[in-house]
Amino acid sequence: PYYRDRFANLIGEKLGKPYFVSGRSGGGIAGILERMKTEIPTLRPNYVFVTIGTNGGNTEANLNQMIDYCEGFGTKVILNLIPLFDGSTAGKNTIIQNVVTARSLMSVKTNVATSVNGDGITKDNSKFANEAGVFIHPNEAGNLAIYKRALIDIENVFVEAGVF
């Protein structure tokens, strides 16, 4: 979130369509649900791109509630796996992947993009900002890697926008 060229901005600029970034570090699923109650009916986006889970609070029920809300307005949800952080990331990504699979959603594998050699398991700290010894938010290299992964994982969105 500390870089102008966050992966969300890079994706929005590549699509060449109006976009809005509502990202906030330190937020959880409850806060996202509250913001969506204002943003989704007001903005009426075709897609909402959600990367949530590092701060806890994700359950399949919470994620499904969020998706149901968005889909009620005709908004398609792209529910991303979260970037690597610590030993808890795999379990959190399992919850997200279960929902992605069950609902046939698109998803960007940010964990793969932020790992060593794309293994999705071994964290590459060179892709994260050093925030007083904590490596949680992608830096420029991490944001670029996630953007490049999005070009693969959600290619249909780019095709629909006429980019590819």
Side-chain angles (χ1 to χ4, degrees):
Y2 307 108
Y3 297 92
R4 184 185 93 52
D5 292 329
R6 295 181 291 188
F7 63 88
N9 296 88
L10 295 171
I11 292 166
E13 290 169 14
K14 178 74 171 179
L15 289 169
K17 306 287 183 190
Y19 69 96
F20 176 77
V21 177
S22 180
R24 290 163 177 81
S25 53
I29 188 80
I32 283 180
L33 288 168
E34 284 304 309
R35 281 198 308 281
M36 283 184 168
K37 289 178 183 175
T38 302
E39 294 171 358
I40 298 298
T42 302
L43 299 171
R44 299 285 180 139
N46 291 330
Y47 292 96
V48 63
F49 193 83
V50 180
T51 308
I52 182 66
T54 303
N55 297 319
N58 272 7
T59 63
E60 288 186 30
N62 284 342
L63 293 171
N64 279 305
Q65 178 186 358
M66 176 194 67
I67 296 161
D68 289 341
Y69 183 79
C70 293
E71 289 179 348
F73 288 93
T75 299
K76 298 173 191 167
V77 176
I78 300 170
L79 183 59
N80 305 308
L81 298 178
I82 59 174
L84 297 174
F85 177 54
D86 61 19
S88 70
T89 304
K92 292 172 182 179
N93 275 336
T94 296
I95 292 169
I96 296 166
Q97 186 62 59
N98 288 343
V99 174
V100 166
T101 301
R103 297 192 69 142
S104 299
L105 300 175
M106 287 185 278
S107 179
V108 176
K109 296 176 184 88
T110 68
N111 59 323
V112 171
T114 57
S115 64
V116 174
N117 297 321
D119 70 6
I121 299 165
T122 310
K123 183 178 181 178
D124 183 350
N125 277 339
S126 74
K127 293 181 180 171
F128 293 87
N130 183 347
E131 302 169 64
V134 177
F135 297 85
I136 189 169
H137 298 111
N139 60 17
E140 287 184 74
N143 278 295
L144 185 59
I146 293 168
Y147 162 73
K148 287 179 178 178
R149 186 70 208 190
L151 296 174
I152 297 165
D153 292 342
I154 60 169
E155 179 182 10
N156 290 345
V157 174
F158 297 96
V159 170
E160 184 179 303
V163 175
F164 298 157

